[in-house]
Amino acid sequence: MNITELLLNLHECTAGDFDHLEKFRFEGVYIICDSNNEIVYIGSAYARTIEIRLKQYISATDSGNTLGKTIAKKLAGSTSYDDKAKAKISCAVKKIKDFKVYAIKHKDLEYDLIKLAQPTYNNNGKGED
């Protein structure tokens, strides 16, 4: 799904990128898009700010980086986060830094959006484990 289609139904959305995470100093749901504006990942941050959660995706370590691990697995052609996938984490982080971010101050919207948008890197929203 394209972000433009989704945003037609959402209000008060904050847009930015991984170079300007300070825009996201609030709790809620975030939508990550590729350069074609296709939604690739949807997540939420309720125990901390979206800014803090997004910083995990571009950190030097893979701790808490579910998006990076998923991309690294795909880059490595692995089904698990094995040594081959771990070797691709820096490539995954580089890819993430090119993504755009949209965020909404809203609770309990994450799973509905995942179900609607079917993002590339959200396994749970697609009925997969």
Side-chain angles (χ1 to χ4, degrees):
M1 172 177 268
N2 188 287
I3 188 65
T4 307
E5 296 171 293
L6 181 63
L7 292 178
L8 290 174
N9 297 314
L10 300 174
H11 303 284
E12 299 183 34
C13 181
T14 301
D17 56 39
F18 281 88
D19 290 330
H20 300 96
L21 294 179
E22 66 279 357
K23 290 181 163 191
F24 304 108
R25 289 187 180 147
F26 57 89
E27 296 173 0
V29 176
Y30 55 91
I31 302 160
I32 299 176
C33 299
D34 64 15
S35 59
N36 295 321
N37 286 326
E38 290 298 316
I39 299 170
V40 297
Y41 191 79
I42 297 173
S44 62
Y46 300 123
R48 55 190 170 261
T49 65
I50 293 170
E51 175 189 27
I52 292 169
R53 182 67 181 112
L54 293 175
K55 282 181 180 179
Q56 287 181 297
Y57 295 145
I58 56 173
S59 71
T61 68
D62 62 16
S63 177
N65 191 349
T66 53
L67 176 58
K69 288 178 181 178
T70 301
I71 294 171
K73 287 190 300 188
K74 288 191 184 234
L75 290 172
S78 300
T79 57
S80 63
Y81 192 60
D82 56 18
D83 288 339
K84 193 174 171 185
K86 287 177 185 177
K88 295 288 186 180
I89 194 69
S90 63
C91 293
V93 168
K94 184 177 180 183
K95 186 172 184 162
I96 291 167
K97 287 181 179 180
D98 288 334
F99 290 153
K100 298 173 197 166
V101 181
Y102 299 86
I104 308 150
K105 294 178 185 177
H106 194 287
K107 295 196 184 277
D108 301 325
L109 187 60
E110 176 186 13
Y111 293 109
D112 290 338
L113 290 177
I114 292 170
K115 193 173 189 179
L116 176 68
Q118 296 286 303
T120 305
Y121 299 118
N122 283 93
N123 293 332
N124 292 335
K126 296 181 182 181
E128 300 172 12
D129 292 325

